Coordinates of all heavy atoms in Angstrom, one line a residue:
M1 N 39.0 160.5 161.3 CA 39.6 160.1 160.0 C 40.6 159.0 160.4 O 41.4 159.2 161.3 CB 40.2 161.2 159.3 CG 40.8 160.8 158.0 SD 41.4 162.1 157.0 CE 40.1 163.3 157.1
I2 N 40.6 157.9 159.6 CA 41.5 156.8 159.9 C 42.3 156.6 158.6 O 41.7 156.5 157.5 CB 40.7 155.5 160.2 CG1 39.9 155.8 161.5 CG2 41.7 154.4 160.4 CD1 38.9 154.7 161.8
E3 N 43.6 156.6 158.7 CA 44.5 156.3 157.5 C 45.2 155.0 157.8 O 45.8 154.8 158.8 CB 45.5 157.4 157.3 CG 44.8 158.8 157.0 CD 45.8 159.9 156.8 OE1 47.0 159.6 156.7 OE2 45.4 161.0 156.6
K4 N 45.2 154.1 156.8 CA 45.9 152.9 156.9 C 46.7 152.6 155.6 O 46.1 152.6 154.5 CB 44.9 151.7 157.1 CG 45.5 150.4 157.3 CD 44.5 149.3 157.5 CE 45.1 148.0 157.6 NZ 44.1 146.9 157.7
I5 N 48.0 152.4 155.7 CA 48.8 152.1 154.6 C 48.9 150.6 154.4 O 49.2 149.9 155.4 CB 50.2 152.7 154.7 CG1 50.1 154.2 154.6 CG2 51.1 152.2 153.6 CD1 51.4 154.9 154.8
I6 N 48.7 150.1 153.2 CA 48.8 148.7 152.9 C 50.0 148.5 152.1 O 50.0 148.9 150.9 CB 47.6 148.1 152.2 CG1 46.3 148.4 153.1 CG2 47.7 146.6 151.9 CD1 45.0 148.1 152.4
P7 N 51.1 148.0 152.6 CA 52.4 147.9 151.8 C 52.3 146.8 150.7 O 51.4 145.9 150.8 CB 53.4 147.5 152.9 CG 52.6 146.8 154.0 CD 51.3 147.4 153.9
P8 N 53.1 146.9 149.7 CA 53.1 145.8 148.7 C 53.5 144.5 149.3 O 54.3 144.4 150.2 CB 54.2 146.3 147.7 CG 55.0 147.3 148.4 CD 54.2 147.9 149.5
Q9 N 52.9 143.4 148.8 CA 53.1 142.1 149.3 C 53.9 141.3 148.2 O 53.8 141.5 147.0 CB 51.8 141.4 149.6 CG 51.0 142.1 150.6 CD 49.6 141.5 150.7 OE1 49.2 140.7 149.9 NE2 48.9 142.0 151.7
R10 N 54.7 140.4 148.7 CA 55.5 139.6 147.8 C 54.6 138.4 147.3 O 53.9 137.8 148.1 CB 56.7 139.0 148.5 CG 57.7 140.1 148.8 CD 59.1 139.5 149.1 NE 60.0 140.6 149.3 CZ 60.7 141.2 148.4 NH1 60.6 140.8 147.2 NH2 61.6 142.1 148.7
M11 N 54.7 138.1 146.0 CA 53.9 137.0 145.5 C 54.9 136.1 144.8 O 55.8 136.5 144.1 CB 53.0 137.6 144.4 CG 52.0 138.5 145.0 SD 51.0 139.5 143.8 CE 50.8 138.4 142.5
T12 N 54.8 134.8 145.1 CA 55.8 133.9 144.5 C 55.2 132.8 143.6 O 55.8 131.9 143.1 CB 56.5 133.1 145.7 OG1 55.5 132.5 146.5 CG2 57.3 134.1 146.6
A13 N 53.9 133.0 143.3 CA 53.2 132.0 142.5 C 53.6 132.2 141.0 O 53.5 133.3 140.5 CB 51.7 132.1 142.6
G14 N 53.9 131.2 140.3 CA 54.1 131.2 138.9 C 55.5 131.4 138.4 O 55.8 131.2 137.2
S15 N 56.4 131.9 139.2 CA 57.8 132.2 138.7 C 58.8 131.8 139.8 O 58.5 131.9 141.0 CB 57.9 133.6 138.3 OG 57.8 134.5 139.4
P16 N 60.0 131.4 139.4 CA 60.9 131.0 140.4 C 61.5 132.2 141.2 O 61.8 132.1 142.4 CB 62.1 130.4 139.6 CG 61.9 130.9 138.2 CD 60.4 131.2 138.1
D17 N 61.6 133.4 140.6 CA 62.0 134.6 141.3 C 60.8 135.3 142.0 O 59.7 135.1 141.6 CB 62.8 135.5 140.4 CG 62.0 136.0 139.2 OD1 61.0 135.3 138.9 OD2 62.3 137.0 138.6
T18 N 61.1 136.1 143.0 CA 60.0 136.8 143.7 C 59.5 138.0 142.9 O 60.3 138.8 142.4 CB 60.5 137.3 145.1 OG1 61.6 138.1 144.9 CG2 60.8 136.1 146.0
V19 N 58.3 138.0 142.7 CA 57.6 139.1 142.0 C 56.9 140.0 143.0 O 56.1 139.4 143.8 CB 56.7 138.6 140.9 CG1 56.0 139.7 140.2 CG2 57.4 137.7 139.9
T20 N 57.0 141.3 142.9 CA 56.4 142.1 143.9 C 55.2 142.9 143.2 O 55.2 143.1 142.0 CB 57.3 143.1 144.5 OG1 57.9 143.9 143.5 CG2 58.4 142.4 145.3
Q21 N 54.3 143.3 144.0 CA 53.2 144.1 143.5 C 53.8 145.5 143.1 O 54.8 145.9 143.6 CB 52.1 144.3 144.5 CG 51.3 143.1 144.7 CD 50.1 143.4 145.7 OE1 50.0 144.4 146.3 NE2 49.3 142.4 145.9
R22 N 53.1 146.1 142.1 CA 53.6 147.4 141.6 C 53.1 148.6 142.4 O 53.6 149.7 142.2 CB 53.2 147.5 140.2 CG 53.8 146.5 139.3 CD 53.4 146.6 137.9 NE 53.9 145.6 137.1 CZ 54.8 145.7 136.2 NH1 55.4 146.9 136.0 NH2 55.3 144.7 135.5
Y23 N 52.1 148.4 143.3 CA 51.5 149.5 144.0 C 51.4 149.3 145.5 O 51.3 148.1 145.9 CB 50.1 149.8 143.5 CG 50.0 150.3 142.0 CD1 49.7 149.4 141.0 CD2 50.3 151.6 141.7 CE1 49.7 149.8 139.7 CE2 50.3 152.0 140.4 CZ 50.0 151.1 139.4 OH 49.9 151.5 138.1
E24 N 51.5 150.4 146.3 CA 51.1 150.3 147.7 C 49.9 151.2 147.8 O 49.6 152.1 147.0 CB 52.2 150.8 148.6 CG 52.7 152.2 148.4 CD 53.8 152.6 149.3 OE1 53.9 151.9 150.4 OE2 54.5 153.5 149.0
Y25 N 49.1 150.8 148.8 CA 47.7 151.5 148.9 C 47.6 152.2 150.2 O 48.2 151.8 151.2 CB 46.6 150.4 148.8 CG 46.7 149.7 147.5 CD1 47.4 148.5 147.3 CD2 46.0 150.3 146.4 CE1 47.4 147.9 146.0 CE2 46.0 149.6 145.1 CZ 46.7 148.5 145.0 OH 46.7 147.9 143.7
L26 N 46.8 153.3 150.2 CA 46.5 154.0 151.4 C 44.9 154.1 151.4 O 44.3 154.5 150.5 CB 47.0 155.5 151.3 CG 46.6 156.5 152.3 CD1 47.1 156.1 153.7 CD2 47.1 157.9 151.9
V27 N 44.4 153.6 152.5 CA 42.9 153.6 152.7 C 42.6 154.7 153.7 O 43.1 154.6 154.8 CB 42.4 152.2 153.1 CG1 40.9 152.2 153.3 CG2 42.8 151.1 152.1
I28 N 41.8 155.6 153.3 CA 41.3 156.7 154.2 C 39.8 156.5 154.5 O 39.0 156.5 153.6 CB 41.6 158.1 153.6 CG1 43.1 158.2 153.4 CG2 41.1 159.2 154.5 CD1 43.5 159.5 152.7
T29 N 39.5 156.4 155.7 CA 38.1 156.2 156.1 C 37.7 157.5 156.9 O 38.3 157.9 157.9 CB 37.9 155.0 157.0 OG1 38.5 153.8 156.4 CG2 36.5 154.7 157.4
T30 N 36.6 158.1 156.5 CA 36.1 159.3 157.1 C 34.7 159.0 157.8 O 34.0 158.1 157.4 CB 35.9 160.4 156.2 OG1 34.9 160.1 155.2 CG2 37.2 160.8 155.5
L31 N 34.5 159.7 158.9 CA 33.2 159.6 159.6 C 32.2 160.5 159.1 O 32.5 161.5 158.4 CB 33.5 159.8 161.1 CG 34.6 158.9 161.8 CD1 34.9 159.4 163.2 CD2 34.1 157.5 161.7
P32 N 30.9 160.3 159.3 CA 29.8 161.1 158.8 C 29.9 162.5 159.2 O 29.5 163.4 158.4 CB 28.6 160.4 159.3 CG 28.9 159.0 159.7 CD 30.4 159.1 160.0
H33 N 30.4 162.9 160.4 CA 30.3 164.2 160.8 C 31.5 165.1 160.4 O 31.6 166.3 160.7 CB 30.2 164.3 162.4 CG 31.4 163.7 163.0 ND1 31.6 162.4 163.3 CD2 32.6 164.3 163.5 CE1 32.7 162.1 163.9 NE2 33.4 163.3 164.0
E34 N 32.5 164.5 159.7 CA 33.6 165.3 159.2 C 33.3 166.1 158.0 O 32.5 165.7 157.1 CB 34.8 164.4 158.9 CG 35.3 163.7 160.2 CD 36.4 162.7 159.9 OE1 36.7 162.4 158.8 OE2 37.0 162.3 160.9
Q35 N 33.8 167.3 157.9 CA 33.6 168.2 156.8 C 34.2 167.7 155.5 O 35.4 167.3 155.5 CB 34.0 169.6 157.1 CG 33.3 170.2 158.3 CD 33.9 171.6 158.6 OE1 34.8 172.1 157.9 NE2 33.3 172.3 159.6
R36 N 33.5 167.8 154.4 CA 34.0 167.3 153.1 C 35.2 168.2 152.6 O 36.1 167.7 152.0 CB 32.9 167.3 152.1 CG 32.0 166.2 152.3 CD 31.1 165.9 151.2 NE 30.2 164.9 151.5 CZ 29.5 164.2 150.6 NH1 29.7 164.4 149.3 NH2 28.7 163.2 150.9
S37 N 35.1 169.5 153.0 CA 36.2 170.4 152.5 C 37.5 170.0 153.2 O 38.6 170.0 152.6 CB 35.9 171.8 152.9 OG 35.7 172.0 154.3
M38 N 37.5 169.6 154.5 CA 38.7 169.1 155.2 C 39.2 167.8 154.6 O 40.4 167.7 154.3 CB 38.4 168.9 156.7 CG 39.6 168.5 157.5 SD 39.2 168.0 159.2 CE 38.3 166.5 158.9
V39 N 38.3 166.9 154.3 CA 38.7 165.6 153.7 C 39.3 165.9 152.3 O 40.3 165.3 151.9 CB 37.5 164.7 153.6 CG1 37.8 163.4 152.8 CG2 37.0 164.3 155.0
R40 N 38.7 166.7 151.5 CA 39.2 167.1 150.2 C 40.6 167.6 150.3 O 41.5 167.3 149.5 CB 38.2 168.0 149.5 CG 38.5 168.2 148.0 CD 37.4 169.0 147.3 NE 36.9 170.2 148.1 CZ 35.7 170.3 148.5 NH1 34.8 169.4 148.2 NH2 35.3 171.4 149.1
G41 N 40.8 168.5 151.2 CA 42.2 169.1 151.4 C 43.2 168.0 151.8 O 44.3 168.0 151.3
I42 N 42.8 167.1 152.6 CA 43.8 166.0 153.0 C 44.1 165.1 151.8 O 45.2 164.7 151.6 CB 43.2 165.2 154.2 CG1 43.2 166.1 155.4 CG2 43.9 163.9 154.4 CD1 42.6 165.5 156.6
L43 N 43.0 164.8 151.0 CA 43.3 164.0 149.8 C 44.2 164.7 148.8 O 45.1 164.1 148.2 CB 41.9 163.6 149.1 CG 41.0 162.7 149.9 CD1 39.7 162.6 149.2 CD2 41.7 161.3 150.0
R44 N 44.0 166.0 148.7 CA 44.8 166.8 147.8 C 46.3 166.8 148.3 O 47.2 166.7 147.4 CB 44.2 168.2 147.7 CG 44.9 169.1 146.7 CD 44.3 170.5 146.6 NE 44.4 171.2 147.9 CZ 43.3 171.6 148.5 NH1 42.1 171.4 147.9 NH2 43.4 172.2 149.6
E45 N 46.5 167.0 149.6 CA 47.8 167.0 150.1 C 48.5 165.6 149.9 O 49.7 165.6 149.5 CB 47.8 167.3 151.6 CG 47.6 168.8 151.9 CD 47.6 169.1 153.3 OE1 47.9 168.2 154.1 OE2 47.2 170.2 153.7
H46 N 47.8 164.5 150.1 CA 48.4 163.2 149.8 C 48.8 163.1 148.4 O 49.8 162.5 148.0 CB 47.5 162.1 150.2 CG 47.5 161.8 151.7 ND1 48.6 161.3 152.4 CD2 46.5 161.9 152.6 CE1 48.3 161.1 153.6 NE2 47.0 161.5 153.8
A47 N 47.9 163.6 147.5 CA 48.2 163.4 146.1 C 49.4 164.3 145.6 O 50.2 163.9 144.8 CB 46.9 163.8 145.3
E48 N 49.4 165.5 146.2 CA 50.5 166.4 145.7 C 51.8 166.1 146.3 O 52.8 166.1 145.6 CB 50.1 167.9 146.1 CG 51.0 168.9 145.5 CD 50.5 170.3 145.8 OE1 49.3 170.5 146.1 OE2 51.3 171.2 145.6
Y49 N 51.9 165.9 147.6 CA 53.2 165.7 148.3 C 53.6 164.3 148.4 O 54.8 164.0 148.5 CB 53.2 166.4 149.6 CG 52.9 167.9 149.5 CD1 51.8 168.4 150.1 CD2 53.8 168.7 148.9 CE1 51.5 169.8 150.0 CE2 53.6 170.1 148.7 CZ 52.4 170.6 149.3 OH 52.2 171.9 149.2
G50 N 52.7 163.3 148.5 CA 53.0 161.9 148.7 C 53.0 161.1 147.4 O 53.2 159.9 147.4
K51 N 52.6 161.8 146.3 CA 52.5 161.1 145.0 C 51.5 160.0 144.9 O 51.6 159.0 144.2 CB 53.9 160.5 144.5 CG 55.0 161.5 144.5 CD 54.8 162.6 143.5 CE 56.0 163.5 143.5 NZ 55.7 164.8 143.0
W52 N 50.4 160.2 145.7 CA 49.3 159.2 145.7 C 48.3 159.6 144.6 O 48.1 160.8 144.4 CB 48.6 159.2 147.1 CG 49.4 158.7 148.2 CD1 50.1 159.4 149.1 CD2 49.6 157.3 148.6 NE1 50.8 158.6 150.0 CE2 50.5 157.3 149.7 CE3 49.2 156.1 148.0 CZ2 50.9 156.1 150.3 CZ3 49.6 154.9 148.7 CH2 50.4 154.9 149.8
E53 N 47.6 158.6 144.1 CA 46.5 158.9 143.1 C 45.2 158.2 143.6 O 45.3 157.1 144.2 CB 46.8 158.4 141.7 CG 47.0 157.0 141.6 CD 47.4 156.6 140.2 OE1 47.9 157.4 139.4 OE2 47.2 155.4 139.9
L54 N 44.1 158.9 143.5 CA 42.8 158.4 143.9 C 42.4 157.3 143.0 O 42.3 157.4 141.8 CB 41.8 159.5 144.0 CG 40.4 159.1 144.5 CD1 40.5 158.7 146.0 CD2 39.4 160.2 144.4
M55 N 42.2 156.1 143.6 CA 41.8 154.9 142.8 C 40.3 154.6 142.9 O 39.7 154.4 141.9 CB 42.6 153.7 143.3 CG 42.4 152.5 142.4 SD 43.3 151.1 143.1 CE 42.2 150.5 144.3
R56 N 39.8 154.8 144.1 CA 38.4 154.4 144.3 C 37.8 155.2 145.5 O 38.6 155.5 146.4 CB 38.2 152.9 144.5 CG 36.8 152.4 144.7 CD 36.8 150.9 144.9 NE 37.3 150.3 143.7 CZ 37.9 149.1 143.7 NH1 38.0 148.4 144.9 NH2 38.3 148.5 142.6
S57 N 36.6 155.5 145.4 CA 35.9 156.1 146.6 C 34.5 155.5 146.8 O 33.9 155.0 145.8 CB 35.8 157.6 146.5 OG 34.9 157.9 145.4
C58 N 34.1 155.4 148.0 CA 32.8 154.7 148.3 C 32.1 155.5 149.4 O 32.6 155.9 150.4 CB 33.1 153.3 148.8 SG 31.6 152.4 149.1
L59 N 30.8 155.8 149.1 CA 29.9 156.5 150.1 C 29.0 155.5 150.7 O 28.3 154.8 150.0 CB 29.1 157.6 149.4 CG 28.1 158.4 150.2 CD1 28.8 159.2 151.3 CD2 27.3 159.3 149.3
Y60 N 29.1 155.4 152.0 CA 28.3 154.4 152.8 C 26.9 155.1 153.2 O 26.8 156.3 153.2 CB 29.0 153.9 154.0 CG 30.2 153.0 153.6 CD1 31.5 153.5 153.7 CD2 30.0 151.8 153.0 CE1 32.5 152.7 153.3 CE2 31.0 151.0 152.6 CZ 32.3 151.4 152.8 OH 33.4 150.7 152.4
Q61 N 26.0 154.2 153.5 CA 24.6 154.7 153.8 C 24.5 155.6 155.0 O 23.7 156.5 155.0 CB 23.7 153.4 154.0 CG 22.3 153.7 153.8 CD 21.5 152.4 153.8 OE1 22.0 151.3 154.2 NE2 20.3 152.5 153.2
G62 N 25.3 155.4 156.0 CA 25.3 156.3 157.2 C 25.9 157.7 156.9 O 25.8 158.5 157.8
G63 N 26.6 157.8 155.9 CA 27.3 159.1 155.6 C 28.8 159.0 155.6 O 29.5 159.9 155.2
G64 N 29.3 157.9 156.1 CA 30.8 157.7 156.1 C 31.3 157.5 154.7 O 30.6 157.0 153.8
Q65 N 32.6 157.8 154.5 CA 33.2 157.5 153.2 C 34.5 156.8 153.3 O 35.1 156.9 154.4 CB 33.4 158.9 152.5 CG 32.2 159.6 152.1 CD 32.4 160.9 151.3 OE1 33.3 161.6 151.7 NE2 31.7 161.1 150.3
K66 N 34.9 156.1 152.3 CA 36.2 155.4 152.2 C 36.8 155.7 150.9 O 36.2 155.7 149.9 CB 36.0 153.9 152.4 CG 37.3 153.2 152.7 CD 37.0 151.7 153.0 CE 36.8 151.5 154.4 NZ 36.8 150.1 154.8
Y67 N 38.1 156.1 151.0 CA 38.9 156.4 149.8 C 40.1 155.5 149.7 O 40.8 155.3 150.7 CB 39.4 157.9 149.8 CG 38.3 158.9 149.9 CD1 37.9 159.3 151.2 CD2 37.7 159.4 148.8 CE1 36.9 160.3 151.3 CE2 36.7 160.3 148.9 CZ 36.3 160.8 150.2 OH 35.3 161.7 150.3
W68 N 40.3 154.9 148.5 CA 41.5 154.1 148.2 C 42.4 154.9 147.3 O 42.0 155.3 146.2 CB 41.1 152.8 147.6 CG 40.5 151.8 148.5 CD1 41.0 150.8 149.2 CD2 39.0 151.7 148.7 NE1 40.1 150.1 149.9 CE2 38.8 150.6 149.6 CE3 37.9 152.4 148.2 CZ2 37.6 150.3 150.0 CZ3 36.7 152.0 148.7 CH2 36.5 151.0 149.6
M69 N 43.7 155.1 147.8 CA 44.7 155.8 147.0 C 45.8 154.8 146.8 O 46.1 153.9 147.6 CB 45.1 157.0 147.7 CG 44.0 158.0 148.0 SD 44.6 159.5 148.8 CE 45.1 160.4 147.4
R70 N 46.5 155.0 145.7 CA 47.7 154.1 145.4 C 48.8 154.9 144.8 O 48.6 156.0 144.3 CB 47.3 153.0 144.4 CG 47.0 153.5 143.0 CD 46.7 152.4 142.1 NE 46.5 152.9 140.7 CZ 46.3 152.2 139.7 NH1 46.1 150.9 139.8 NH2 46.2 152.7 138.5
R71 N 50.0 154.3 145.0 CA 51.2 154.9 144.3 C 52.1 153.8 143.9 O 52.1 152.7 144.5 CB 51.9 155.9 145.2 CG 52.6 155.3 146.4 CD 53.3 156.4 147.2 NE 53.7 156.0 148.5 CZ 54.2 156.8 149.4 NH1 54.3 158.0 149.2 NH2 54.5 156.3 150.6
R72 N 52.8 154.0 142.8 CA 53.7 153.0 142.3 C 54.9 152.8 143.2 O 55.5 153.8 143.6 CB 54.1 153.4 140.9 CG 55.0 152.3 140.2 CD 55.3 152.8 138.8 NE 54.2 152.6 137.9 CZ 53.8 151.5 137.3 NH1 54.4 150.4 137.6 NH2 52.8 151.5 136.4
V73 N 55.3 151.6 143.4 CA 56.5 151.2 144.1 C 57.6 151.1 143.1 O 57.6 150.4 142.2 CB 56.3 149.9 144.9 CG1 57.6 149.5 145.6 CG2 55.2 150.1 145.9
M74 N 58.7 151.8 143.4 CA 59.9 151.8 142.5 C 61.0 151.0 143.3 O 61.4 151.4 144.3 CB 60.3 153.2 142.1 CG 59.3 153.9 141.3 SD 59.8 155.6 140.9 CE 61.2 155.2 139.8
R75 N 61.4 149.9 142.7 CA 62.5 149.2 143.3 C 63.8 149.6 142.6 O 63.9 149.6 141.3 CB 62.3 147.7 143.1 CG 61.0 147.2 143.7 CD 61.2 147.0 145.2 NE 59.9 146.5 145.7 CZ 59.5 146.7 146.9 NH1 60.2 147.5 147.7 NH2 58.4 146.2 147.4
V76 N 64.8 149.9 143.3 CA 66.1 150.4 142.8 C 67.1 149.4 143.1 O 67.3 149.1 144.3 CB 66.4 151.8 143.3 CG1 67.7 152.3 142.7 CG2 65.3 152.8 142.9
R77 N 67.9 148.9 142.2 CA 69.0 148.0 142.4 C 70.2 148.9 142.7 O 70.5 149.8 142.0 CB 69.2 147.1 141.3 CG 68.1 146.1 141.0 CD 68.5 145.2 139.9 NE 67.4 144.3 139.6 CZ 67.4 143.5 138.6 NH1 68.5 143.4 137.8 NH2 66.4 142.7 138.4
P78 N 71.0 148.5 143.7 CA 72.3 149.2 143.9 C 73.2 149.0 142.8 O 73.4 147.9 142.2 CB 72.8 148.6 145.2 CG 72.1 147.3 145.4 CD 70.8 147.4 144.6
T79 N 73.9 150.1 142.4 CA 74.9 150.0 141.3 C 76.3 150.0 141.7 O 77.2 149.8 140.9 CB 74.7 151.2 140.3 OG1 74.8 152.4 141.1 CG2 73.3 151.1 139.7
L80 N 76.6 150.3 143.0 CA 77.9 150.3 143.5 C 78.2 149.0 144.2 O 77.4 148.4 144.9 CB 78.1 151.4 144.5 CG 77.9 152.8 143.9 CD1 78.0 153.8 145.1 CD2 79.0 153.1 142.9
N81 N 79.4 148.5 144.0 CA 79.9 147.3 144.7 C 80.8 147.8 145.8 O 82.0 148.1 145.5 CB 80.6 146.3 143.7 CG 80.9 145.0 144.4 OD1 80.6 144.8 145.5 ND2 81.6 144.2 143.7
I82 N 80.3 147.8 147.0 CA 81.1 148.4 148.1 C 82.0 147.3 148.7 O 83.0 147.6 149.4 CB 80.2 149.0 149.2 CG1 79.4 150.1 148.5 CG2 80.9 149.5 150.3 CD1 78.4 150.8 149.4
R83 N 81.7 146.0 148.5 CA 82.5 145.0 149.1 C 83.9 145.0 148.4 O 84.1 144.9 147.2 CB 81.9 143.6 148.8 CG 80.6 143.5 149.5 CD 80.0 142.1 149.1 NE 78.6 142.1 149.4 CZ 77.7 141.2 149.0 NH1 78.2 140.2 148.4 NH2 76.5 141.3 149.3
A84 N 84.9 145.1 149.2 CA 86.3 145.2 148.7 C 87.0 143.9 148.8 O 86.8 143.1 149.6 CB 87.0 146.3 149.3

């Protein structure tokens, strides 16, 4: 099983300020010989504890599978002015 996180990318087209994507993605690729119950458990753990949601899945001809999961990126602005 291969897990790859794709972080949000900055996009600058169309506006003077930087606009960021709203989601980051996790791509999980499984091999044909891996048990589906084990893969299902890993997807469930990512969804429950990592706040990921399943966006897309694809079954390939050889038996391998690929799952795309996403979660919303929350940008928080600091509210304290520490500079004295």
Side-chain angles (χ1 to χ4, degrees):
M1 183 175 315
I2 302 168
E3 296 181 8
K4 181 180 178 184
I5 294 180
I6 302 172
Q9 301 170 352
R10 295 200 177 267
M11 299 167 34
T12 57
S15 64
D17 56 341
T18 57
V19 178
T20 59
Q21 288 184 354
R22 297 176 185 253
Y23 295 99
E24 62 181 335
Y25 297 93
L26 171 65
V27 180
I28 300 175
T29 305
T30 62
L31 302 174
H33 65 274
E34 294 178 347
Q35 296 179 358
R36 290 192 181 200
S37 60
M38 182 188 71
V39 174
R40 190 171 42 242
I42 289 173
L43 292 173
R44 185 178 59 239
E45 286 180 8
H46 278 297
E48 186 174 345
Y49 299 116
K51 305 297 184 199
W52 294 96
E53 63 182 21
L54 183 64
M55 186 181 85
R56 180 179 298 154
S57 65
C58 183
L59 175 63
Y60 292 105
Q61 202 168 16
Q65 292 181 319
K66 192 175 272 194
Y67 301 94
W68 287 269
M69 301 181 84
R70 70 177 184 181
R71 69 178 168 190
R72 185 177 284 278
V73 175
M74 297 180 65
R75 301 284 183 208
V76 180
R77 293 185 184 173
T79 57
L80 297 175
N81 187 4
I82 300 178
R83 299 178 198 169

